[in-house]
Amino acid sequence: MPCPSGSNELVFFVNGRKVIERNADPEVTLLTFLRKNLGLTGTKYACGRGGCGACTVMVSQCDPVSKKISHFSITACLVPICSLYGAAVTTVEGVGSIKTKLHPVQERIAKSHGTQCGFCTPGMVMSMYTLLRNHPQPSEEQLMEALGGNLCRCTGYRPILESGRTFCVESNGCQQKGTGNCCLDQGEKDSFSHDRNSDISTELFTKDEFQPLDPTQELIFPPELLRMAENPEKRTLNFHGERVTWISPGTLKDLLELKVKHPEAPLILGNTSLGPAMKSQGHWHPILLSPARISELNTVSKTSEGLTIGAGCSLAQVKDILAERVSELPEEKGQTYRALLKHLKSLAGQQIRNMASLGGHIISRHFYSDLNPILAVGNATLNLISEAGTRQIPLNEHFLAGSASADLKPEEILESVHIPHSQKWEFVSAFRQAQCRQNALADVNAGMRVLLKEGTDVIEDLSIAYGGVGATTVSAHKSCQQLLGRRWNELMLDEACRLLLDEVSLPGSAPGGSVEFKRTLVISFFFKFYLEVLQELKKLAKLFSAPDCLHYPEISDQFLSAVEDFPVTVPQGVQRYQSVDSHQPFQDPVGRPIMHVSGLKHATGEAIFCDDIPRVDNELYMVLVTSTRAHAKIISIDLSEALELPGVVDVITAKDIPGTNGAKDDKLLAVDEVLCVGQIICAVVAETNVQAKRATEKIKITYKDLEPVILTIEEAIKHNSFLCPEKKLEQGNIEEAFEKVDQIVEGEVHAGGQEHFYMETQRVLIIPKTEDKELDIYVSTQDPAHVQKTVSSTLNIPINRITCHVKRVGGGFGGKVGRPAVFGAIAAVGAIKTGHPIRLVLDREDDMLITGGRHPLFGKYKVGFMNNGRIKALDIECFINGGCTLDDSEQVIEFLILKLENAYKIRNLRFRGRACMTNLPSNTAFRGFGFPQGTLVTESCITAVAAKCGLLPEKIREKNMYKTVDKTIYKQAFNPETLIRCWNECLDRSSFHSRRMQVEEFNKKNYWKKKGIAIIPMKFSVGFAATSYHQAAALIHIYTDGSVLVTHGGNELGQGIHTKMLQVASRELKIPMSYVHICETSTATVPNTIATAASIGSDVNGRAVQNACQILLKRLEPIIKKNPDGTWEDWIEAAFEQRISLSATGYFRGYKAFMDWEKGEGDPFPYYVYGAACSEVEIDCLTGAHKKIRTDIVMDACRSLNPAIDIGQIEGSFIQGMGLYTTEELKYSPEGVLYSRGPDEYKTPTITDVPEEFNVSLLPSSQTPLTIYSSKGLGESGMFLGSSVFFAIADAVATARRERDIAEDFTVKSPATPERVRMACADRFTEMIPRDDPKTFKPWSIPIA
């Protein structure tokens, strides 16, 4: 059958099955095709730009020349299906299934507890699976590399690595780990419960039960594709889409002809540059040329002069080619290759390196390109080809600047790149600094090359190029020319720095901001190069016993470490917890490290999330239209053009809402006025997602800007713009105390906000029923009852007609408490108006723009203390940036004030807090709820006191900590004994005092690298400050076959609540866990539930499940007494015969909690979680980079219900907290537009950010009578412990500043980004840079805290 419109058939394989697509649209990505056309929903959509790895799949291709089959991981969201002609795709479903057979990768990631919410797991599985297909026994470095492009927001990565490490050949890990006598324990005093060491376990899973990896069992490469590769299709393939035509020629000759015919058409290979541009900027090209089948573009040739690499080679292939060449060449010849290799290791993630081509990377000429600066200084040549013939052009500053005379002609293509060898007395180096170590675009990068006159230190040739400091790669040609003939010494260094700053100039308003930091890096990098060359010269001088007249400048030993980069190392660590009592029955699962109940389904992609529900009949898609102004009047909304587009069904505006449109100050859809960029104005409903998105671009909204536009806390204070009254707590007499102290310090703390970055964006599916106005709502939320209530009031129908279903949520962290109700209500209006089911799935960019996050904070403190470090008076005032509506801001400021004292007993205190109203999207609940920002102020205050007294911060902490049974500032009594135990245990476990001395020793010997160490105590209060919020209910059915169905009011967000509830039911009913099942959380089975939040979900729902089980057992008691030897099934059958109800509702009335703000006292929290964390870091004073050397956490979990889940919560929240305090930076334009709207700009921790040694201990033999089985809720507390990394960095920076005689600075700014660290370590280079007067330019971004 002929294909329509002259399109060819697209043939490829998915999971061993042939796919023939007759109408392949070049704009359709593999991700969309897998999910929508093939129904393979294991591959997840999370960012759509190749930045998170959730959509990773494996592609296998046969090389027509070598006949070798290569497997590589790719991100399906960037791959156009048309590029897959003749390829075999393997998705997570093709690897293994719980229905048939699990693959060892899937089994191990689940059983090693490497999954929590499970949304990132299929991508992790595919990255590891691809690695094992290529290397069945990989090294640990290969494992780290393979997972570098995959983000996880829940686990903290350690258990994922642990599962991968079970396949690795050589392990640096402890060979005795799991035997209970790991080498990391050796030589430490075991202060754990005196003589009961035997009940401490360090094993969370047993490796013995894992099935072995058998490479012979993998899917074979389809024989049909082998035949296709042997006789490659030579004809040109055409695929015509609605807007775009994809042309894939079979020969080079055809490609060159096409390039003459379509000179404007870009060549597309990996789509890693065009793809994101099409997504974020709406760029598209009517014709795309794919050179994928042209083997000439993949050839590699080695000569005695250098290496020529085909432009079609992927960056991953280039990396392998260079590594092989470096191993063959003498050292002096491979310098350029080594420099390129260094950057290829950290450039993007493995998936992007597998897709992106060398030619595409060079021709794109991105200003941040990591390779172009090195290729430019390395004198690379571009070999061009066209119908007219071949020609060479140099890859130099003219080419990079895009000047017509030095560029490709429209009909030319880049065939290959020639990179010459370096020579003796020539030195080439590469430098880069990014927000984090892997998978991040560089702030500044550089390539530098110098050739010295043989046997001397005189510069014969010098070449320097920078990325990140202009619109394209910038060459410092003039500076280099002026330095020729100079000697390589300090005089030359000073001169070079001045020249470089002059030539590589950045305006104060430059895009990307961080201008002073970038200027500093320009010369800091040159200084590093200067030192590297001197070091190499020293080696050469020894080799050639150079003449005595050659005295190279001495490098002091203190400077040597400046040239070393931080290596990427594989994290190690031990997890300790108390084993269950030896008398506990074997089938009682409480206290055992049970795997997450959905773990295996997460790993096979069979766990169904909201958007994985198959398409419903007549379903429509909704896309939101948001405000582009921060504060404006809406003059008009013109929908006419949008409504005329094909597929568009309707546009929903505020007029369509039958009931209430949100609250007075917090509208669901804007009416007359917008209060922030990102406020929802209307929503397009169309037949497909693509049609709806195109229609949003055609809606014309006219605004009239209003004054004032308030964005920062400073502006809010000036305009007296607040969301709620001031909150205040006071004790003692603060004024009097300040008069009697030895010293007073005042300081400021600025803490930036944080994006939730749950892997699964906000999504909802609304299905209207045909009668009684009933609605079924499938939604990703922490609070289905709130969604239900909001939809009810919006549609003006009773709550009993609306059922919300939550199967599982792909991460929440507080961001899915309030916001899902807004999206649910808007989608419900669309469903009622059109009569169709509505699916609303937010793109990552929209999710980040609309939903708000953690409140940025500005805090001022005044502290009075004695010279011995005893704090007598503390006055703290905090302001948080609440955004444009109240949301949770009032509760956040209340909790922040209540928790501000942390672990310290200070007699005279005054805490005040305000929530500021600004023209930004409303900030909302976020794990820790004010505690991580507020307590940063308290701890900063402690470090300031230590600095003033000349004492160590840990001494001040110890001196001022609660010591005996006491009352908090709000008069709640508590016993700090466990807090002190955690502190002492952490000091001991981390060998803190001896390491403090080692750190000081290291710092004396190194000028440009500094280590820092910090230990932080924590008293974290759990729960809501209101009794009614602690109630919970459960419904349990026992069926006649003895199986049990449990439903409760908690939602599975990845924190393992369902697993814990099954453990509780299993213990209470004395039956195996396999008898018990939880289907979903639904408002139809358990009504009026409270949000799953505040760390107490398992606590309160566990009590409700326990209550229901006890009611049922009470009913069964007579039957069991009568037949004590009977089986569970016998008893249930008998109960049914005797008409005993086998269904029960369990209820827990809640912990008592209240707070009287008038009096400033109450019992707001049921209990506290105590902990302590010690972290050690090393910083590079020249670049601001840091590496995390070691972290030890001791947490009081009392009797953990499930140590594997609880340790996972602690590690995950610690890493998330570490992100908050180090890399996660939100940037806003002066107009209030959020710039950081995806993983490219917003950096959550990656696998390389985990501390090299990461130990977690649950404090043993601790009890609390209040909670279920004496357990504690640990969901949030670990978040603040991430600040131990922040204070360790601050400790290192303070050491550097003291050594440079810079005054103490008591303004603390979080996160401690490379920029802040570098600029705080002021030195001769930061002194040299030009500084702009802030009044003379408009900055690219503004700080809002």
Side-chain angles (χ1 to χ4, degrees):
M1 168 183 163
C3 286
S5 63
S7 266
N8 293 94
E9 282 185 351
L10 175 66
V11 179
F12 63 107
F13 277 69
V14 175
N15 298 335
R17 289 190 157 172
K18 188 174 182 179
V19 174
I20 300 175
E21 184 57 25
R22 293 192 167 85
N23 313 318
D25 185 338
E27 290 189 83
V28 172
T29 64
L30 173 59
L31 177 61
T32 306
F33 188 80
L34 290 172
R35 292 182 61 83
K36 299 278 186 295
N37 297 43
L38 303 182
L40 296 171
T41 55
T43 310
K44 302 294 180 221
Y45 166 76
C47 81
R49 297 173 65 165
C52 73
C55 63
T56 303
V57 298
M58 181 176 90
V59 170
S60 308
Q61 276 171 334
C62 180
D63 184 300
V65 185
S66 70
K67 303 285 184 285
K68 272 175 80 174
I69 293 160
S70 57
H71 309 287
F72 45 95
S73 56
I74 52 123
T75 48
C77 67
L78 287 182
V79 173
I81 49 166
C82 297
S83 68
L84 292 169
Y85 184 84
V89 175
T90 307
T91 71
V92 69
E93 291 92 345
V95 172
S97 158
I98 48 173
K99 297 187 187 83
T100 51
K101 186 170 189 267
L102 285 170
H103 189 276
V105 171
Q106 295 168 321
E107 177 197 32
R108 293 186 196 186
I109 198 168
K111 289 183 178 171
S112 308
H113 315 288
T115 105
Q116 285 184 26
C117 84
F119 202 80
C120 74
T121 312
M124 295 281 180
V125 165
M126 291 315 299
S127 286
M128 278 203 261
Y129 175 75
T130 310
L131 171 69
L132 294 174
R133 288 299 301 262
N134 291 318
H135 307 280
Q137 282 192 310
S139 69
E140 293 190 345
E141 284 65 38
Q142 287 171 323
L143 175 67
M144 288 289 277
E145 198 174 86
L147 294 173
N150 291 73
L151 296 180
C152 170
R153 196 60 162 154
C154 298
T155 64
Y157 299 105
R158 185 212 46 85
I160 297 171
L161 269 171
E162 204 73 42
S163 73
R165 202 190 251 127
T166 60
F167 297 103
C168 288
V169 52
E170 89 282 7
S171 156
N172 307 329
C174 178
Q175 302 308 320
Q176 300 164 297
K177 175 123 195 262
T179 59
N181 50 1
C182 163
C183 61
L184 291 170
D185 300 343
Q186 306 300 315
E188 286 186 15
K189 286 207 310 295
D190 212 313
S191 64
F192 262 156
S193 54
H194 321 298
D195 51 4
R196 297 176 48 205
N197 194 25
S198 56
D199 63 0
I200 299 300
S201 178
T202 56
E203 201 174 62
L204 289 169
F205 61 90
T206 35
K207 291 183 185 154
D208 311 346
E209 52 183 65
F210 292 157
Q211 50 167 327
L213 177 69
D214 181 357
T216 62
Q217 295 303 298
E218 306 297 2
L219 278 174
I220 60 161
F221 189 72
E224 184 177 339
L225 293 185
L226 278 176
R227 289 194 293 277
M228 278 169 68
E230 275 162 20
N231 309 300
E233 179 79 75
K234 287 292 182 222
R235 68 191 167 122
T236 296
L237 301 172
N238 291 284
F239 304 109
H240 301 284
E242 196 185 327
R243 305 192 298 179
V244 177
T245 298
W246 179 284
I247 309 177
S248 169
T251 64
L252 183 59
K253 183 172 168 294
D254 292 346
L255 174 64
L256 299 176
E257 277 172 22
L258 284 163
K259 197 69 181 116
V260 172
K261 203 167 156 193
H262 309 288
E264 293 303 303
L267 265 61
I268 177 169
L269 266 171
N271 199 34
T272 56
S273 180
L274 283 179
M278 279 159 69
K279 185 171 177 3
S280 53
Q281 294 139 34
H283 290 187
W284 61 280
H285 302 269
I287 290 176
L288 296 172
L289 301 179
S290 163
R293 299 187 295 139
I294 312 239
S295 56
E296 288 91 329
L297 297 185
N298 290 325
T299 51
V300 178
S301 65
K302 308 171 188 175
T303 65
S304 55
E305 272 77 59
L307 185 59
T308 304
I309 302 178
C313 291
S314 72
L315 296 183
Q317 287 169 322
V318 171
K319 186 166 163 281
D320 294 342
I321 293 159
L322 291 172
E324 185 189 342
R325 199 69 189 111
V326 163
S327 67
E328 300 163 348
L329 286 170
E331 195 170 328
E332 73 262 12
K333 290 193 172 180
Q335 299 221 32
T336 311
Y337 307 153
R338 262 201 299 280
L340 287 164
L341 267 176
K342 178 182 159 182
H343 278 189
L344 280 165
K345 282 187 178 133
S346 53
L347 188 153
Q350 181 72 42
Q351 297 91 321
I352 299 292
R353 292 195 293 270
N354 285 333
M355 297 154 69
S357 64
L358 177 63
H361 183 93
I362 292 169
I363 297 292
S364 299
R365 284 173 272 207
H366 291 301
F367 69 91
Y368 51 76
S369 159
D370 277 330
L371 304 186
N372 285 348
I374 309 170
L375 292 167
V377 300
N379 293 327
T381 314
L382 304 180
N383 299 318
L384 310 180
I385 185 166
S386 65
E387 276 203 308
T390 60
R391 129 185 129 93
Q392 276 78 35
I393 59 169
L395 195 163
N396 58 13
E397 67 267 33
H398 305 298
F399 165 78
L400 292 168
S403 57
S405 59
D407 208 347
L408 285 76
K409 301 194 177 92
E411 69 280 6
E412 285 181 319
I413 66 160
L414 173 60
E415 185 181 24
S416 61
V417 184
H418 174 73
I419 314 167
H421 291 159
S422 50
Q423 50 189 353
K424 212 169 265 170
W425 299 96
E426 185 171 34
F427 307 96
V428 186
S429 289
F431 305 93
R432 81 189 297 271
Q433 182 53 48
Q435 190 83 339
C436 52
R437 287 162 77 179
Q438 190 142 21
N439 209 5
L441 300 176
D443 292 312
V444 179
N445 52 32
M448 301 188 185
R449 178 184 63 83
V450 65
L451 174 65
L452 300 175
K453 225 181 215 121
E454 188 160 346
T456 72
D457 62 353
V458 176
I459 301 172
E460 197 170 291
D461 190 17
L462 179 63
S463 186
I464 299 173
Y466 291 101
V469 290
T472 174
T473 302
V474 175
S475 170
H477 187 64
K478 281 206 230 57
S479 308
C480 293
Q481 288 307 105
Q482 279 177 270
L483 293 166
L484 297 183
R486 299 289 297 270
R487 294 187 61 184
W488 196 260
N489 56 20
E490 281 282 336
L491 279 171
M492 181 281 305
L493 172 66
D494 281 351
E495 175 75 355
C497 290
R498 275 206 308 283
L499 290 167
L500 286 168
L501 284 172
D502 210 37
E503 185 173 1
V504 184
S505 63
L506 264 179
S509 57
S514 309
V515 171
E516 291 181 356
F517 174 48
K518 289 178 177 178
R519 288 172 183 157
T520 309
L521 286 177
V522 164
I523 51 177
S524 296
F525 284 165
F526 185 76
F527 175 60
K528 282 194 166 222
F529 183 53
Y530 168 75
L531 291 177
E532 276 184 25
V533 172
L534 276 186
Q535 247 190 326
E536 289 303 314
L537 283 175
K538 286 264 186 318
K539 284 186 203 162
L540 280 174
K542 276 189 191 139
L543 277 176
F544 299 106
S545 54
D548 295 337
C549 60
L550 255 192
H551 279 303
Y552 300 125
E554 280 302 317
I555 321 177
S556 92
D557 288 347
Q558 279 191 306
F559 279 27
L560 283 176
S561 59
V563 299
E564 292 159 20
D565 285 312
F566 293 136
V568 169
T569 46
V570 185
Q572 309 278 350
V574 178
Q575 302 76 47
R576 294 184 179 81
Y577 62 94
Q578 191 162 1
S579 317
V580 297
D581 192 301
S582 53
H583 305 304
Q584 182 171 319
F586 180 69
Q587 76 170 23
D588 177 353
V590 170
R592 302 185 196 275
I594 304 284
M595 174 181 71
H596 192 296
V597 65
S598 298
L600 294 170
K601 284 183 288 193
H602 291 158
T604 59
E606 289 162 290
I608 299 294
F609 289 86
C610 183
D611 190 36
D612 299 337
I613 296 168
R615 195 183 155 85
V616 192
D617 279 351
N618 303 318
E619 180 187 300
L620 299 174
Y621 283 85
M622 179 177 270
V623 174
L624 305 174
V625 178
T626 57
S627 159
T628 55
R629 303 290 170 86
H631 190 195
K633 196 174 168 41
I634 299 174
I635 305 296
S636 66
I637 305 177
D638 178 2
L639 309 173
S640 53
E641 266 191 71
L643 288 166
E644 283 165 14
L645 288 178
V648 175
V649 176
D650 208 339
V651 178
I652 307 299
T653 64
K655 294 190 191 79
D656 298 312
I657 294 175
T660 55
N661 179 12
K664 182 165 87 64
D665 303 322
D666 192 359
K667 301 275 182 241
L668 293 174
L669 292 170
V671 184
D672 303 334
E673 188 183 355
V674 288
L675 297 172
C676 68
V677 175
Q679 186 172 351
I680 306 167
I681 296 175
C682 56
V684 176
V685 176
E687 287 168 15
T688 71
N689 207 11
V690 174
Q691 289 168 336
K693 272 187 190 143
R694 283 187 197 156
T696 60
E697 288 153 26
K698 299 291 182 196
I699 291 176
K700 294 186 173 55
I701 301 171
T702 322
Y703 302 95
K704 178 175 183 244
D705 285 331
L706 296 173
E707 291 290 325
V709 174
I710 300 169
L711 302 173
T712 69
I713 292 177
E714 197 183 333
E715 291 165 348
I717 295 169
K718 196 169 93 190
H719 285 92
N720 204 22
S721 172
F722 297 109
L723 289 161
C724 57
E726 180 182 75
K727 302 291 169 187
K728 183 174 173 183
L729 286 177
E730 213 167 337
Q731 83 178 11
N733 186 332
I734 194 131
E735 268 73 23
E736 202 178 284
F738 273 124
E739 284 169 18
K740 293 181 179 166
V741 295
D742 293 339
Q743 299 192 61
I744 291 176
V745 174
E746 295 188 46
E748 289 185 356
V749 176
H750 300 262
Q754 187 178 24
E755 161 60 33
H756 297 93
F757 211 92
Y758 26 66
M759 294 302 290
E760 177 198 35
T761 57
Q762 301 272 358
R763 40 198 70 181
V764 58
L765 171 63
I766 310 264
I767 304 176
K769 302 278 193 70
T770 43
E771 48 187 307
D772 298 329
K773 295 185 179 168
E774 289 181 350
L775 286 178
D776 261 339
I777 301 179
Y778 296 88
V779 57
S780 179
T781 179
Q782 293 170 246
D783 194 352
H786 179 50
V787 178
Q788 185 190 32
K789 282 178 210 158
T790 309
V791 171
S792 158
S793 63
T794 308
L795 300 181
N796 200 14
I797 59 174
I799 293 180
N800 64 4
R801 310 294 161 89
I802 299 158
T803 307
C804 282
H805 305 265
V806 180
K807 182 84 175 167
R808 58 176 59 82
V809 176
F813 316 118
K816 292 183 180 167
V817 175
R819 302 321 266 166
V822 173
F823 304 118
I826 295 169
V829 173
I832 292 298
K833 189 177 178 201
T834 61
H836 287 263
I838 297 275
R839 192 180 293 254
L840 169 59
V841 176
L842 288 198
D843 269 355
R844 177 65 62 188
E845 292 90 333
D846 289 340
D847 191 300
M848 289 184 79
L849 178 71
I850 295 167
T851 60
R854 187 183 295 285
H855 291 73
L857 167 137
F858 165 56
K860 295 191 285 195
Y861 64 81
K862 179 180 174 186
V863 57
F865 52 95
M866 309 312 281
N867 289 333
N868 66 359
R870 163 78 61 207
I871 298 173
K872 295 289 188 185
L874 177 59
D875 186 359
I876 296 181
E877 190 172 14
C878 289
F879 299 90
I880 57 172
N881 194 328
C884 59
T885 63
L886 183 59
D887 199 288
D888 283 328
S889 294
E890 188 162 8
Q891 289 97 305
V892 169
I893 201 72
E894 285 180 2
F895 273 48
L896 190 151
I897 295 297
L898 286 168
K899 300 178 182 204
L900 210 45
E901 64 171 25
N902 194 15
Y904 306 111
K905 175 65 182 174
I906 298 162
R907 301 255 168 247
N908 304 287
L909 291 170
R910 180 166 60 208
F911 296 155
R912 288 167 295 170
R914 297 295 305 258
C916 300
M917 180 172 170
T918 59
N919 295 109
L920 290 173
S922 191
N923 284 312
T924 185
F926 199 137
R927 197 178 202 166
F929 212 71
F931 182 74
Q933 305 99 294
T935 316
L936 191 72
V937 182
T938 314
E939 294 297 339
S940 301
C941 175
I942 298 268
T943 26
V945 170
K948 272 288 187 201
C949 294
L951 294 167
L952 293 168
E954 55 272 17
K955 291 288 171 244
I956 307 291
R957 291 193 166 98
E958 237 161 39
K959 191 173 267 310
N960 292 287
M961 222 182 277
Y962 277 102
K963 299 287 190 307
T964 54
V965 174
D966 212 323
K967 286 188 170 178
T968 62
I969 184 171
Y970 42 86
K971 314 284 186 289
Q972 183 165 356
F974 85 107
N975 181 351
E977 184 209 338
T978 323
L979 168 67
I980 294 158
R981 278 186 63 205
C982 286
W983 174 260
N984 291 332
E985 188 78 55
C986 191
L987 281 170
D988 192 55
R989 285 257 155 238
S990 63
S991 319
F992 183 84
H993 297 298
S994 62
R995 279 172 54 217
R996 165 66 82 190
M997 281 151 65
Q998 288 161 9
V999 163
E1000 285 168 9
E1001 220 28 59
F1002 175 90
N1003 289 342
K1004 279 184 206 146
K1005 291 179 182 159
N1006 293 277
Y1007 187 82
W1008 297 109
K1009 294 264 173 74
K1010 293 291 175 201
K1011 285 187 177 179
I1013 189 166
I1015 180 165
I1016 305 287
M1018 178 192 67
K1019 166 171 107 342
F1020 181 81
S1021 39
V1022 166
F1024 302 95
T1027 306
S1028 62
Y1029 276 81
H1030 293 149
Q1031 60 179 304
L1035 175 64
I1036 297 185
H1037 302 315
I1038 305 176
Y1039 293 95
T1040 48
D1041 64 351
S1043 63
V1044 177
L1045 181 66
V1046 173
T1047 40
H1048 59 92
N1051 302 282
E1052 179 56 70
L1053 319 167
Q1055 84 287 39
I1057 193 170
H1058 286 348
T1059 311
K1060 286 181 171 180
M1061 294 309 98
L1062 293 178
Q1063 287 175 274
V1064 170
S1066 166
R1067 167 176 276 191
E1068 290 294 332
L1069 297 172
K1070 300 181 180 58
I1071 54 174
M1073 261 177 85
S1074 56
Y1075 281 40
V1076 194
H1077 177 61
I1078 292 180
C1079 173
E1080 64 172 8
T1081 305
S1082 159
T1083 54
T1085 49
V1086 179
N1088 314 323
T1089 53
I1090 302 299
T1092 305
S1095 303
I1096 58 159
S1098 297
D1099 277 29
V1100 295
N1101 288 290
R1103 291 293 282 268
V1105 168
Q1106 181 184 38
N1107 177 240
C1109 291
Q1110 286 171 351
I1111 291 168
L1112 288 164
L1113 270 188
K1114 192 100 185 105
R1115 291 180 195 162
L1116 292 172
E1117 222 171 63
I1119 290 172
I1120 297 170
K1121 262 193 185 143
K1122 214 172 182 180
N1123 178 13
D1125 298 332
T1127 62
W1128 171 254
E1129 289 83 353
D1130 296 339
W1131 298 333
I1132 299 308
E1133 206 173 303
F1136 179 72
E1137 291 297 327
Q1138 292 176 33
R1139 304 185 311 289
I1140 290 171
S1141 167
L1142 292 172
S1143 172
T1145 299
Y1147 191 65
F1148 176 55
R1149 292 195 62 189
Y1151 303 121
K1152 284 198 172 46
F1154 69 92
M1155 181 65 205
D1156 183 335
W1157 281 96
E1158 289 294 304
K1159 291 184 186 164
E1161 58 185 62
D1163 269 8
F1165 305 111
Y1167 63 87
Y1168 298 100
V1169 169
Y1170 307 103
C1174 166
S1175 290
E1176 183 186 348
V1177 300
E1178 185 180 334
I1179 65 168
D1180 182 334
C1181 302
L1182 283 166
T1183 61
H1186 73 268
K1187 76 166 176 177
K1188 299 158 198 83
I1189 297 169
R1190 176 172 169 181
T1191 292
D1192 293 86
I1193 297 174
V1194 175
M1195 193 73 99
D1196 156 44
C1198 278
R1199 293 281 182 171
S1200 169
L1201 289 178
N1202 183 327
I1205 283 176
D1206 285 343
I1207 287 172
Q1209 286 295 291
I1210 294 164
E1211 290 174 334
S1213 58
F1214 171 84
I1215 297 290
Q1216 201 174 54
M1218 195 182 78
L1220 164 69
Y1221 299 117
T1222 58
T1223 59
E1224 297 184 35
E1225 193 174 23
L1226 291 164
K1227 297 212 164 153
Y1228 292 86
S1229 78
E1231 292 73 41
V1233 180
L1234 178 66
Y1235 288 130
S1236 24
R1237 286 165 59 182
D1240 297 355
E1241 307 90 3
Y1242 185 76
K1243 289 295 159 199
T1244 62
T1246 66
I1247 209 150
T1248 49
D1249 292 306
V1250 183
E1252 290 175 15
E1253 190 181 325
F1254 190 16
N1255 303 314
V1256 178
S1257 304
L1258 301 184
L1259 193 74
S1261 30
S1262 167
Q1263 297 284 338
T1264 170
L1266 185 70
T1267 56
I1268 184 156
Y1269 312 142
S1270 206
S1271 64
K1272 281 189 176 182
L1274 295 171
E1276 299 169 281
S1277 48
M1279 191 93 202
F1280 173 64
L1281 294 180
S1283 71
S1284 61
V1285 171
F1286 178 88
F1287 287 107
I1289 293 172
D1291 185 47
V1293 169
T1295 309
R1297 287 175 71 92
R1298 278 197 301 275
E1299 189 171 41
R1300 291 156 175 69
D1301 286 328
I1302 311 163
E1304 285 290 344
D1305 178 9
F1306 295 122
T1307 302
V1308 172
K1309 291 186 174 172
S1310 168
T1313 56
E1315 175 180 6
R1316 292 206 171 116
V1317 173
R1318 174 64 188 104
M1319 299 318 283
C1321 296
D1323 53 35
R1324 62 197 253 205
F1325 303 112
T1326 54
E1327 293 302 304
M1328 270 185 193
I1329 62 161
R1331 311 254 172 178
D1332 305 297
D1333 177 353
K1335 297 186 190 74
T1336 59
F1337 67 95
K1338 184 180 178 184
W1340 178 76
S1341 73
I1342 54 166
I1344 58 163

